[in-house]
Each structure stands twice: as structure tokens, then as C-alpha cells.
Amino acid sequence: GAVVSQHPSWVICKSGTSVKIECRSLDFQATTMFWYRQFPKQSLMLMATSNEGSKATYEQGVEKDKFLINHASLTLSTLTVTSAHPEDSSFYICSVDSGRSSYEQYFGPGTRLTVT
Amino acid sequence: GQNIDQPTEMTATEGAIVQINCTYQTSGFNGLFWYQQHAGEAPTFLSYNVLDGLEEKGRFSSFLSRSKGYSYLLLKELQMKDSASYLCAVDNAGNMLTFGGGTRLMVKP
């Protein structure tokens, strides 16, 4: 299966600053990647679908101007949390869609964001 | 809308068997997944069901009834390392997964 990495694995930032999270598919060319957010003791919530070379598709209730997604290559998608607030503190996880079936959706290790 | 329900927490004893249930109501259905997630880590794939019936894989089995909108994950010979959250997820369209709230399983000696 695909190997997916995320960087950084954890980050602490001050309120009002922006944070960029990278998701890399190390051995697979990913046309589509997904970004999830997970609050403590809750399940994963899909934020957006990242499509290589085109605009991301955001889920209802997710502010596209606040969560900027760029998928400029087949191996890299980035999520930038702009003007972060403490309520944005969460575990952000990306996954790679192999395109064959969701049986082969591979998850990255996640990024823990804490906004102080 | 999408609705996926599973118990919030369960406790079981080492060596025992535990069944985690999941009921779903979704606008589409392309398969149901079970994932295991340890705290602070990404989910890891356990099983995939798209047809009715039981899929067995070692100590873990998963069952699906599409007509009832119901699935369960069965864990046998529980080990302490099985303490984790178990997530039920439905592929309802286009390879997009909708997750249930997760079931936190605690295995006690």
C-alpha cells in the first residue's frame, strides 16, 4: 500500500498566526487526497477533498478561506490554517485515495495542532 | 443525511470476546469499513464489507447486513494491546468516507 507522511507531527502556534501542514505520498502518485480533522474523543470529520491541479472541494461548514488547500503535485498536498484560533486546535489527518476503491485509502500519521 | 451510530465506550476482559455494533443510514452505500485507532495515531484499516455476511481475518471478524443497515466488529481472544478506538465508516459516494463517532474499547486484565 501507499506510504503517507505528514509534517510536522505536532506544532504549537500563537493565536492569529498561520500554520502549514504537509501531506506527502511517498510511493504513490495521488490524484486525490482527503483532509480530516479530529477533536479529542471524537471521530474523524472530513474537511475537504484535495484534487491535484484543481481547487479543493470543501465540506459544508468548513471555511475555505480559513483552511487553504494546495495540491500542486501528485505527491504533495498542503493545508494552511490561517489566522489560527484556540478552537482550531485539533488532530489533522490526511489520506491518499488510490483511485481504485476506498478500500485502498491510506492515512497519514496525523498532525497535532495546538493554538495558544 | 448521513447517520452512523456506535457505542461510545466498551469494556472487556483480556482473553474474552467483544462485539462492537454499528448502525448506519446513508444516502448511498459502497462499502463499510472498520478502523482501529490508538490515541494520537492515525487510523489503521481492519476490514471492509460490501456484501452481506461475515468476513473473518484472524482474531477480527466483521459482519454486514445491508438490508438492516447494520454491521459489527468481533474481536476474539482479546489482548491488552487491543485497547483502542474502533471506527465504523461508510463509503457513501466517490470514495469519501463518513465516520461514526468511534467506540473506545478498554481491555482489562
Side-chain angles (χ1 to χ4, degrees):
Chain A
V3 178
V4 182
S5 71
Q6 283 184 237
H7 178 80
S9 55
W10 61 270
V11 57
I12 301 173
C13 71
K14 291 188 176 181
S15 187
T17 61
S18 295
V19 174
K20 180 186 285 189
I21 302 170
E22 294 184 348
C23 177
R24 291 184 185 273
S25 176
L26 300 181
D27 59 352
F28 179 80
Q29 292 190 323
T31 305
T32 303
M33 293 183 178
F34 299 100
W35 285 97
Y36 295 86
R37 179 168 54 183
Q38 185 176 32
F39 292 107
K41 297 187 179 182
Q42 295 186 27
S43 193
L44 280 73
M45 295 294 293
L46 180 65
M47 298 177 67
T49 303
S50 173
N51 303 299
E52 188 267 337
S54 64
K55 292 183 179 180
T57 305
Y58 290 82
E59 294 301 298
Q60 194 172 8
V62 178
E63 300 173 58
K64 60 181 180 181
D65 294 330
K66 180 172 180 61
F67 298 99
L68 303 179
I69 292 173
N70 184 279
H71 193 155
S73 77
L74 288 171
T75 59
L76 174 64
S77 175
T78 61
L79 169 68
T80 301
V81 183
T82 62
S83 187
H85 289 109
E87 56 264 32
D88 298 324
S89 298
S90 187
F91 193 47
Y92 291 87
I93 306 174
C94 70
S95 71
V96 168
D97 179 12
S98 70
R100 292 192 285 274
S101 76
S102 56
Y103 174 90
E104 299 186 40
Q105 190 174 133
Y106 303 105
F107 286 87
T111 297
R112 172 76 59 195
L113 170 64
T114 302
V115 184
T116 61
Chain B
Q2 322 296 337
N3 194 33
I4 302 176
D5 289 318
Q6 47 182 133
T8 307
E9 288 186 354
M10 296 184 72
T11 302
T13 305
E14 191 176 15
I17 299 172
V18 70
Q19 177 175 312
I20 304 174
N21 296 324
C22 172
T23 58
Y24 64 90
Q25 291 176 308
T26 58
S27 56
F29 185 84
N30 288 338
L32 185 143
F33 297 78
W34 283 96
Y35 286 88
Q36 180 191 62
Q37 186 181 28
H38 286 98
E41 299 180 11
T44 56
F45 170 82
L46 289 178
S47 68
Y48 170 69
N49 295 68
V50 67
L51 300 175
D52 287 356
L54 186 69
E55 295 278 345
E56 296 186 79
K57 189 187 297 184
R59 293 191 299 117
F60 294 5
S61 303
S62 57
F63 172 83
L64 175 68
S65 169
R66 293 186 61 167
S67 61
K68 295 182 179 178
Y70 168 69
S71 173
Y72 68 73
L73 179 70
L74 193 71
L75 292 76
K76 303 175 186 175
E77 301 169 17
L78 279 174
Q79 302 175 9
M80 298 298 291
K81 68 177 181 179
D82 296 330
S83 293
S85 286
Y86 291 85
L87 310 177
C88 171
V90 172
D91 174 6
N92 48 9
N95 289 359
M96 292 168 56
L97 298 180
T98 301
F99 283 84
T103 299
R104 252 193 337 273
L105 174 66
M106 287 182 288
V107 180
K108 296 186 175 182

